[in-house]
Amino acid sequence: MIHYFPGNLGHLLVILAFVSAIVATYAFAKNINDNEQKWARFAKGAYYLHAAAIFSIVITLFVMISGHMFEYHYVYNYTSKFLPPYYQISSFWNGQEGSFLLWMFWNAVLGLILIHTNKSWRPSLMAVFTFTQVFLVSMIMGVVIFDVKIGSSPFILLRDVVNDAIFQLQPDFIPEDGRGLNPLLQNYWMVIHPPTLFLGFATTVIPFAYAIAGLITGKYKEWIRPALPWAQFSAAVLGVGILMGAYWAYETLNFGGYWNWDPVENAIYVPWLIMVAGIHTMIAFKKSDAALKASIILILSTYVLIVYSTFLTRSGVLGNASVHSFTDLGLSGQLLIYLFVFTGLSIFLAARAWKKIPESKEETSAYSREFWIFMGATVLSLMAFQVIIPTSIPVWNEIVEAFGGTSNMAPPADQVGFYTQFQLYFAIILAVLSGTGQFFWWKKVDGKKLKQELTVPVMLSLIVTALIFILAKVQNIWYLLLLTASVYSIFANGKILISVARSNIKLSGGSIAHIGVAMMLIGILFSSGYSKILSKNNTGLLWSKEFPDEVNQNNLLLFLNEPRQMAGYSLNYKGLRKLTKNAGYVDINDIEGAISPLQLVMGNESRTSTDVLLKKGDTIAIINPENSYFEIEYSKLDGSRFTLFPRVQINETMDMIVYSPDISRTLKADLYTHVRTFPDPEQTVEWSEIEEITVTPGDQFFINDYVARFIDMVPVSRVEGVEMGPSDVAVKAIIEIEGEQKTYTAEPVYIIKDKMAGRIPDVISDLASRITIQSIKPEENSFVFGLSTTQKDWIIIEAVEKPWINILWSGTLLLVIGFGIAINRRYTEFKKMRDKGME
């Protein structure tokens, strides 16, 4: 039975959220110049209604997903019955509609906070804030007005979207299960990364709204103080979200890194750079009017770029340029309107007030803090500019074609090399500025004083860099410059940190954040610039003529249970495994069948990776039926060993096979291992011609070069899958085969049913061997076995060493700590002024 109520309720709530957002925008706007309490109360009430509607939409969609209401297109398209609960949560934002809803949810929460934290700015601030919600809610309306579709609703029935004959025959047809979650998104980082990223998206509107409110009300300077802690919070959350995405890529994707300069990655990276630049100019404004106009431009540009990045990733314009952009759901027109409205509003208000905005008439000295902050902001802006222009090439092509022209411009072929080269140059300058600029911020210095202050950091950085150069053999000149600049930034900011922390630890946020950035640059330098492929193919053989040269040269072929040497390691592929809920990994060949996709039955006695003994007939619970794992044991020359379990996800519904790495982490380096390919599990096994051999109990023989011993022939009363009659007879042979790792038991069956002979062979997959009882010679007490073999199980892997990558993650942690200290300081300053009635 179709559940109509949740869908109808969802549609109603979306309309309510849209209308209440419009009403709240109008009421707050009226309250800007009209101080009557009725408008203030009405505006607050409208916003409370809007927030309640948004929260109710979220709850409704969650109920539909958790209730497996596959009659709805969104639920069917992104969920299934067998997804773990945490992946069902992440399926909420898998589609465009859900991700827009997540964005709106955070906006609703933030709006409630803003209403109660800054009453003097409330009317103008919330008028802008709720206006952005109008556009966001329109993205999920899914209504058609005068043949124009507005938004794409998550509450549309499957039959209204999918044109399938089944709905002509059975209008109330409901699929038994959904398509499931994209295998790439079945990672715990996808449970926390999107909410963090969209919280970052949502927070960018707050400093933007303050800036617009300042331009509307004429408070050109006053908006900086309340906006600054929010800008810092936004940059911190957005930065953490970006880094979470990088770590997800590192753990899940198989390109061997954490940043690939994909257009979708670039679209988020650029607004973050501009936001950080804006924060620095806002801080500089606290001491001088010189940076006020720059602050306005940068903060307004940040939100405009967030909207632009939304257009890039959701309009379908990057469909051929990005591996993980959304497809177009007909929202490109709406997204363009959204972009043009807020771009036009920003330009109009800034231009109208430009001459009234205070600015410093003093010439900026090279020894002033403003000069160095402005230089840093300029470099950050240039970094953003260098990335956004090539990323926007598909947009330029679309614009030219829209006007009847032809444009064949293409994004960089080697996007990693192209972007990395230029960003490297900027990073060197940025590291030097972040170290030197701090001295101007905290001390009054001239040329002589500056030389004295920098002597110790420069000398220490040169000594340390020289040691690293000798030990790590950093020979690339640009890498050496980046290393020197980053080490210098650490020592320079460290000196300031020690000096500042003695007086007030709350003043140390900037130094800690800068040290974190410098550590991140060093971590990126070594983990990316000096990563080393360990799985070099030194055999002189091609694994396949169909593989690119890079795969044949940099990947290793492993046969099951046949150790192979690799760069100081001995590797042993032990087979395919399933991950149980409580017992670790279990050999897939020891599994006999399934009660359900999540409940499997053991066919043999088996020990798991955690040394749990499972017996034949035991039922085991697995986490995800799509996931299987390759067990690869690494052994070192000193006798130490560890095991990795790179993953393969096979989603038959989506016709996808996705490989994910496993990583061995040490203080000095990560050993990153992923499987390139393995035999198609659906491919028919080709067995050799049967070789017949006559044996008696106790005899030894060879099969596929393994020693086998015929133990005995015993009668059996039951044969699985065969209904035995009173005159039917069955026997099975018990044969032990010595494998590389353990002894296997084969039990082929010979059956006489209805006076006809039948043979049920036994296959030992690990040994690529099959044994059949061909015939029985009772007069000789001997038996004829049929032996056949096939290609042994194999995988092709790539193993990469990522040196000193932990410096990158440690720097990330310091960056977040620095932001946290700075946010606390700036919010405390704002709170004091607000409580005095000055904000």
Side-chain angles (χ1 to χ4, degrees):
M1 182 181 72
I2 293 179
H3 303 84
Y4 288 104
F5 178 73
N8 292 333
L9 177 62
H11 281 297
L12 177 63
L13 289 169
V14 171
I15 299 299
L16 179 61
F18 181 72
V19 173
S20 58
I22 294 175
V23 172
T25 301
Y26 178 77
F28 280 122
K30 286 287 291 182
N31 192 220
I32 294 174
N33 297 317
D34 187 344
N35 293 322
E36 292 186 22
Q37 285 298 310
K38 65 177 183 179
W39 279 115
R41 288 195 297 270
F42 184 68
K44 284 176 64 177
Y47 187 80
Y48 290 151
L49 180 62
H50 169 75
I54 294 294
F55 297 151
S56 299
I57 295 169
V58 171
I59 293 170
T60 302
L61 187 55
F62 265 125
V63 168
M64 291 166 56
I65 290 172
S66 60
H68 306 305
M69 299 181 188
F70 298 121
E71 60 266 43
Y72 289 96
H73 180 255
Y74 195 88
V75 180
Y76 169 79
N77 217 31
Y78 301 117
T79 69
S80 76
K81 290 180 179 178
F82 303 108
L83 281 176
Y86 41 89
Y87 289 154
Q88 289 190 20
I89 293 173
S90 63
S91 67
F92 177 92
W93 43 76
N94 187 189
Q96 288 212 48
E97 301 92 337
S99 59
F100 274 121
L101 187 51
L102 180 60
W103 192 348
M104 285 180 270
F105 167 80
W106 283 126
N107 267 4
V109 172
L110 293 169
L112 292 174
I113 295 172
L114 290 172
I115 281 179
H116 293 281
T117 55
N118 198 337
K119 296 180 181 179
S120 65
W121 281 90
R122 182 194 297 158
S124 55
L125 174 69
M126 292 302 296
V128 180
F129 191 89
T130 52
F131 189 44
T132 65
Q133 282 288 80
V134 172
F135 286 86
L136 287 176
V137 177
S138 73
M139 299 297 169
I140 64 166
M141 287 182 65
V143 298
V144 178
I145 301 176
F146 301 115
D147 294 328
V148 177
K149 181 184 176 184
I150 302 176
S152 177
S153 173
F155 303 107
I156 299 177
L157 290 169
L158 181 63
R159 70 187 184 193
D160 295 331
V161 178
V162 176
N163 185 18
D164 194 292
I166 188 67
F167 296 114
Q168 301 296 325
L169 301 173
Q170 302 179 47
D172 293 340
F173 171 76
I174 302 175
E176 286 294 321
D177 200 1
R179 297 180 71 232
L181 186 65
N182 187 321
L184 289 173
L185 303 182
Q186 293 184 35
N187 180 281
Y188 61 94
W189 284 107
M190 281 295 108
V191 180
I192 57 177
H193 160 58
T196 305
L197 191 64
F198 277 98
L199 175 59
F201 273 33
T203 52
T204 60
V205 75
I206 299 177
F208 171 82
Y210 271 115
I212 292 290
L215 293 173
I216 292 174
T217 60
K219 297 179 180 179
Y220 305 122
K221 300 166 61 173
E222 292 83 353
W223 69 273
I224 293 283
R225 191 187 304 277
L228 181 54
W230 280 112
Q232 291 172 322
F233 179 72
S234 179
V237 174
L238 192 59
V240 169
I242 292 171
L243 288 164
M244 281 182 175
Y247 200 82
W248 161 75
Y250 183 59
E251 279 200 340
T252 305
L253 305 182
N254 62 1
F255 68 87
Y258 41 81
W259 194 261
N260 205 36
W261 295 108
D262 183 273
V264 171
E265 296 170 343
N266 297 349
I268 309 303
Y269 173 66
V270 168
W272 182 78
L273 289 175
I274 298 299
M275 174 66 85
V276 174
I279 289 170
H280 283 80
T281 57
M282 290 168 78
I283 292 172
F285 165 75
K286 303 286 287 184
K287 303 291 183 179
S288 167
D289 288 345
L292 181 57
K293 288 186 175 180
S295 298
I296 293 172
I297 293 172
L298 292 170
I299 293 302
L300 295 181
S301 298
T302 298
Y303 188 70
V304 168
L305 284 167
I306 286 289
V307 179
Y308 180 61
S309 73
T310 305
F311 169 75
L312 283 178
T313 56
R314 295 164 191 278
S315 65
V317 71
L318 295 179
N320 296 323
S322 172
V323 296
H324 55 264
S325 65
F326 287 96
T327 56
D328 185 14
L329 293 181
L331 302 179
S332 53
Q334 277 180 256
L335 289 168
L336 275 176
I337 293 172
Y338 187 7
L339 177 62
F340 289 153
V341 166
F342 283 92
T343 303
L345 179 66
S346 300
I347 293 173
F348 170 74
L349 291 176
R352 188 184 67 172
W354 196 251
K355 293 182 179 179
K356 301 176 185 178
I357 298 173
E359 59 181 335
S360 175
K361 302 298 182 182
E362 297 180 8
E363 186 176 343
T364 302
S365 167
Y367 293 102
S368 67
R369 60 173 67 94
E370 292 79 13
F371 173 81
W372 288 87
I373 286 181
F374 182 76
M375 289 294 293
T378 301
V379 172
L380 288 166
S381 300
L382 289 173
M383 292 174 75
F385 186 78
Q386 188 270 326
V387 173
I388 199 63
I389 296 301
T391 302
S392 300
I393 287 176
V395 178
W396 170 254
N397 291 339
E398 291 282 345
I399 293 172
V400 172
E401 292 175 7
F403 285 93
T406 302
S407 177
N408 296 318
M409 289 182 65
D414 178 13
Q415 58 188 20
V416 174
F418 174 80
Y419 290 111
T420 301
Q421 178 184 3
F422 289 99
Q423 294 293 300
L424 172 62
Y425 304 152
F426 288 125
I428 294 169
I429 301 172
L430 197 63
V432 173
L433 292 174
S434 68
T436 309
Q438 285 281 38
F439 290 99
F440 292 95
W441 183 255
W442 295 107
K443 300 174 184 290
K444 292 183 178 180
V445 294
D446 52 22
K448 184 178 179 180
K449 181 69 173 175
L450 179 63
K451 183 177 179 181
Q452 293 175 354
E453 293 287 348
L454 295 182
T455 298
V456 173
V458 169
M459 293 302 296
L460 287 175
S461 62
L462 291 175
I463 292 170
V464 171
T465 303
L467 290 174
I468 297 174
F469 168 75
I470 295 170
L471 296 175
K473 300 178 181 178
V474 180
Q475 297 177 347
N476 183 298
I477 183 61
W478 292 107
Y479 290 176
L480 189 59
L481 288 173
L482 178 60
L483 176 63
T484 305
S486 300
V487 172
Y488 161 73
S489 181
I490 292 173
F491 282 117
N493 280 284
K495 183 177 180 181
I496 293 295
L497 174 61
I498 294 171
S499 174
V500 169
R502 287 173 179 170
S503 58
N504 188 350
I505 192 66
K506 293 182 178 180
L507 303 177
S508 62
S511 297
I512 294 174
H514 289 164
I515 292 172
V517 170
M519 290 177 63
M520 289 174 65
L521 292 175
I522 294 173
I524 292 169
L525 166 63
F526 281 103
S527 61
S528 295
Y530 287 92
S531 64
K532 182 167 62 175
I533 296 175
L534 304 181
S535 53
K536 289 288 186 180
N537 177 9
N538 298 318
T539 65
L541 302 175
L542 291 181
W543 304 138
S544 172
K545 292 181 179 179
E546 297 179 359
F547 292 166
D549 290 342
E550 180 266 336
V551 174
N552 280 309
Q553 294 168 5
N554 296 330
N555 293 267
L556 201 62
L557 173 65
L558 301 179
F559 284 104
L560 185 71
N561 292 325
E562 292 186 11
R564 184 182 289 274
Q565 301 303 308
M566 182 197 78
Y569 294 96
S570 176
L571 272 62
N572 191 6
Y573 168 48
K574 292 191 166 185
L576 203 57
R577 307 290 186 247
K578 284 289 183 181
L579 178 59
T580 67
K581 281 189 175 180
N582 301 310
Y585 297 90
V586 63
D587 191 336
I588 200 169
N589 294 316
D590 291 332
I591 298 172
E592 185 176 54
I595 299 174
S596 73
L598 296 176
Q599 297 286 325
L600 307 181
V601 179
M602 298 300 298
N604 296 310
E605 184 175 280
S606 179
R607 282 199 178 273
T608 69
S609 61
T610 56
D611 206 32
V612 175
L613 179 62
L614 299 174
K615 297 181 179 179
K616 182 175 181 178
D618 284 353
T619 300
I620 58 172
I622 62 172
I623 296 174
N624 192 319
E626 297 175 358
N627 293 350
S628 297
Y629 301 82
F630 305 94
E631 182 175 355
I632 305 172
E633 184 181 72
Y634 279 78
S635 300
K636 295 183 179 180
L637 298 177
D638 61 6
S640 61
R641 61 183 60 189
F642 58 89
T643 302
L644 295 180
F645 293 91
R647 180 180 63 181
V648 60
Q649 292 176 278
I650 302 176
N651 187 310
E652 296 179 355
T653 306
M654 297 183 181
D655 193 26
M656 291 180 66
I657 296 180
V658 175
Y659 299 97
S660 297
D662 198 9
I663 303 167
S664 172
R665 296 174 173 85
T666 63
L667 181 63
K668 292 177 59 177
D670 280 2
L671 179 56
Y672 180 101
T673 303
H674 72 271
V675 172
R676 284 285 191 181
T677 187
F678 75 115
D680 184 353
E682 301 296 325
Q683 186 175 351
T684 303
V685 179
E686 296 183 2
W687 293 96
S688 65
E689 291 186 8
I690 293 177
E691 174 192 353
E692 293 189 348
I693 182 173
T694 302
V695 294
T696 59
D699 286 352
Q700 286 189 345
F701 59 95
F702 289 91
I703 176 169
N704 207 8
D705 295 330
Y706 296 102
V707 176
R709 189 163 70 93
F710 176 26
I711 303 298
D712 200 1
M713 184 73 70
V714 297
V716 291
S717 58
R718 293 171 57 188
V719 178
E720 187 176 352
V722 178
E723 186 176 344
M724 299 288 289
S727 59
D728 297 337
V729 178
V731 294
K732 70 177 180 180
I734 300 176
I735 303 165
E736 291 184 348
I737 309 172
E738 295 293 334
E740 296 96 335
Q741 305 294 322
K742 66 178 183 178
T743 299
Y744 298 84
T745 301
E747 297 181 344
V749 175
Y750 188 88
I751 182 171
I752 299 176
K753 179 176 174 57
D754 300 329
K755 298 182 180 180
M756 298 178 64
R759 303 173 181 85
I760 303 177
D762 197 2
V763 175
I764 307 298
S765 299
D766 284 1
L767 307 181
S769 303
R770 183 176 68 180
I771 303 178
T772 308
I773 303 174
Q774 295 293 99
S775 61
I776 300 175
K777 299 179 179 180
E779 67 281 358
E780 300 177 8
N781 191 31
S782 63
F783 305 86
V784 179
F785 291 157
L787 312 178
S788 54
T789 61
T790 187
Q791 171 68 64
K792 204 171 185 182
D793 191 14
W794 54 269
I795 57 174
I796 293 178
I797 69 160
E798 182 177 51
V800 183
E801 185 180 69
K802 297 282 185 181
W804 300 112
I805 194 170
N806 285 323
I807 297 177
L808 166 59
W809 309 129
S810 300
T812 301
L813 179 61
L814 280 183
L815 176 64
V816 173
I817 292 173
F819 264 118
I821 294 172
I823 292 166
N824 179 62
R825 175 193 172 193
R826 298 300 176 181
Y827 182 73
T828 302
E829 290 177 357
F830 155 71
K831 190 175 179 182
K832 287 180 180 178
M833 299 299 290
R834 182 196 64 186
D835 294 343
K836 292 178 181 179
M838 300 177 67
E839 293 289 355

